[in-house]
Amino acid sequence: MSRFDFGISKIIVEIDDCNLGFIDQVSLKRFLKKCGVISKSKLVYSIIRRLDMDQDARLCHNEFVEGMMP
C-alpha cells in the first residue's frame, strides 16, 4: 500500500527518533513498541541482520530503503 503523504524517508525519521542517523536494535524495538507490537530481542536482531548489508548491526538510510523496496 502506498500513500502520497507517507514515504520511506518519513518512516526512517519515525524509527530513528533520537536522530542518530541510523536504525539500530534499540530504536527499532522502541518503534515497534510504540506501534503496539511486543517483540523479542531475537526478532528485532533478525530484522536488522536481514536488511544490514555491511554487517555493522545498524541500518543506514540506503540499506533501509533498499530493504523496503519490492
Side-chain angles (χ1 to χ4, degrees):
M1 177 187 299
S2 65
R3 294 179 47 140
F4 69 92
D5 61 340
F6 199 78
I8 290 182
S9 296
K10 288 187 179 181
I11 190 110
I12 291 171
V13 171
E14 287 292 320
I15 297 172
D16 181 23
D17 56 351
C18 293
N19 273 342
L20 298 174
F22 57 84
I23 298 169
D24 60 354
Q25 293 179 29
V26 175
S27 61
L28 183 58
K29 189 168 186 170
R30 192 170 43 243
F31 173 74
L32 291 172
K33 190 174 182 179
K34 281 194 286 187
C35 292
V37 177
I38 305 300
S39 59
K40 297 181 180 179
S41 294
K42 189 174 181 180
L43 174 66
V44 174
Y45 176 72
S46 33
I47 292 170
I48 296 286
R49 192 182 70 219
R50 182 148 315 226
L51 298 176
D52 187 18
M53 300 179 96
D54 58 2
Q55 303 301 314
D56 61 353
R58 58 188 188 184
L59 302 174
C60 67
H61 183 271
N62 292 336
E63 289 171 333
F64 187 79
V65 169
E66 190 168 327
M68 293 296 111
M69 291 298 164

